[in-house]
Amino acid sequence: MGLDYKWVFWNTHKKAYDRLIVSGMVIYLVLFFTISFLTNPEIIAETVIIRAFGSLAIIMLHIILAIGPLTRLNTKFLPVLYNRRHLGVSMFLAALIHGIFAIIHFHALGNVNPIYSLFTSNMDYGSLTNFPFQVLGFFALLILFVMASTSHDFFLHNLSAKTWKRLHMMVYLAYALVILHVFLGAFQQETSVFTTATLFLGWLTLVSLHLVAAFKESKVDRFVAEKNTEGWHKVCPPEEIEESRAKIFTVKGERVAIFKYDGKLSAIHNVCKHQGGPLGEGKIVDGCVTCPWHGYQYLPHNGQSPPPFTEKVKTYALKIEKGMVYINPKAFPEGTAIPPISSS
Amino acid sequence: MIAGQRKAHKYIWIGIAVVLPLLMFLAIKDLDFTSARTSDASGELPVSFSLSGQSLKIQVDTPLKSTASLVYEMYTDGSRGNILGQLEGRGSYEFLISPGTKGIYIMDAIKKEELFKIEF
Amino acid sequence: MKRSDEFYIGYQKEVGPGTKKLLKRFIWITVLILLTGAAVFGFFQRPAVNSTFDFGNPTQVSGVYHESPYPMLRVPLAENEFKEIVLLGFGKSGPNPFLKDLRERKGDLNGKQLTIEGQLIYYNGRTLLEIDDSQKVMVSGTGAYEQPKSMGTRTLEGEIIDPKCYFGVMKPGYGKIHRSCAALCILGGVPPVLVTKEENNREVYFLLTDVKGNPIHQDILPYIGQPSRLTGQVKELGEWRIMQIDVSQIEKLKKESSIY
């Protein structure tokens, strides 16, 4: 990335996205408050605030976790992925309000430090149903805090996409902690078939989406190609690749994107340097491979982002033999120019 | 994503699919999902009464929003008379009332407020 | 690999018609999920009780101070009618920090007539008073107070709560969610109270002391906020009961609390 970092590069879609997030959150909170005070006139505001923001954060977390596999199953969901981190930060803020109010409500104004109290006021760590559930929520919030605070591209680049992704995969741990936080906390006292069933249904939906997407993907990863005498891998006839699009091909478990454009073919590594997006599901726009996730661009013949950007990906050599495209499995260093071959 | 991360995602979600429902089940298996909810939401009056001769029975169905509830007799002219006693929470209370009592007042004795006026 | 030629780029304005259609559907489904979620999580909350905390609305209360064994005020309501008001401190604390000054100046406060301006907490015929400022406690003479009357030994099932939250400050002020708060309150000097329910749904409240009748705080923490069985000498003091227990004999019951 060769440009200065800004808080947010605002554009029409991001603005619309954020407006939708805020409206959704407001609608939820207003409805929750209204129902609470109408059906439960003796309830106190602190309790309703804690419950409203807690339940909102959980629902948002479910939506966030569904977006990834949805885009794997249907690329038309990609616009939802585009600005997912704003959704994540908003969810963290809702969870933070829940956490702060709960810590003040239950742990402040005592004669010990509220955070110390959170860990020590219930010592039944050996029991499941009596387990200090607030500790689980605390660690989930901590994970969400780390994620929200490193969500900016600045951290993404400085931590490297791999480390960043690893860090952000902790959201799955946070999800498990949150579910247990609710099942061992709220549900132990506010027992209701309907709320319990709601979270169970949420779990079922997320697990199904993720596993269906995962098995679809691992089929691609397991692919073993036919090889010619020189060790080049047989891909497909060139006609199989659409114009301005790519075919994703698995070489030794790693994915390569073979693009067809202007009667030429070029192969680059499938993983975008930004967030690891699948370049092979992208498109050639203005002569550049454009990542479907956030629109990062690379020149197909050398895997380099056009100036002023500086991202580079690995490139691969191609050849056509008896009407069949072959690829050399040995990658060239990132940004190495390889002359495109003719697709006919 | 690189292949390793895809694999990691797969195993994480297989883990969530297997372990989480087990913990969810263990957490809720002893809970009583059928228990009736007691609500303090009351109709017009949180108390009911029955009168037989000079004996007045007051049944407090919903806790009174009161710091200390004193029951007074109501004279025919509507003024407050003798103190019959205190209501201390949910339950039934029996008082002997003077002849000619028209009704009762229930007062919050610390805040000096009238809570209810019941005419027989 | 056939796919439609729509391609979304976040920083460009155009969005394909198929993508637009799917997004619209996605947004509506999300709104539906939010509305359903708010309805389910909002509606299926247990009804809160009509307990009251006069927060920001102090009342002046006069009565005879006594420690039996927790600080209480015997407040005359009318001739021969009294209310035994349990005294509490600000936040998650008992009244002692707010009575310290007065004790230093006046010595033992038992039998002293006190006038306190504080915030009342009340529910189901029991009343407590929160003192948030030692300057708002004044001595104005002496008076008589009653000794608790013995009612024999009993074994009871119920939940140990902190009366400050239970009788008004928090809703709900019992159970697992509230447990750590109750532990902090009791650790801070709020008397532990056992809530039991009789067959006719009537709640009975016991101030818990050790076997000798002294206050207990720290030792009872592991038993707070969960159904338990307790045995001890029971005494009566006005509308309250007192139970003298051996904490090590408390039996935790593996079941849902009956006071919910």
Side-chain angles (χ1 to χ4, degrees), chain B residues 23-103:
Chain B
L23 290 171
M24 289 197 268
F25 171 73
L26 290 176
I28 61 166
K29 73 175 170 45
D30 293 328
L31 292 178
D32 179 8
F33 284 93
T34 57
S35 74
R37 288 131 191 272
T38 48
S39 170
D40 283 348
S42 58
E44 290 132 42
L45 268 185
V47 293
S48 52
F49 69 96
S50 62
L51 192 64
S52 64
Q54 300 305 107
S55 167
L56 171 69
K57 225 177 173 173
I58 299 178
Q59 175 78 31
V60 178
D61 305 313
T62 305
L64 302 173
K65 269 198 166 223
S66 157
T67 58
S69 318
L70 275 185
V71 185
Y72 288 81
E73 289 179 343
M74 186 196 290
Y75 288 155
T76 39
D77 63 351
S79 64
R80 253 189 280 152
N82 293 327
I83 291 167
L84 294 172
Q86 274 192 73
L87 303 177
E88 286 174 352
R90 263 199 208 100
S92 57
Y93 301 82
E94 217 172 326
F95 302 107
L96 218 59
I97 55 166
S98 329
T101 302
K102 206 174 107 187

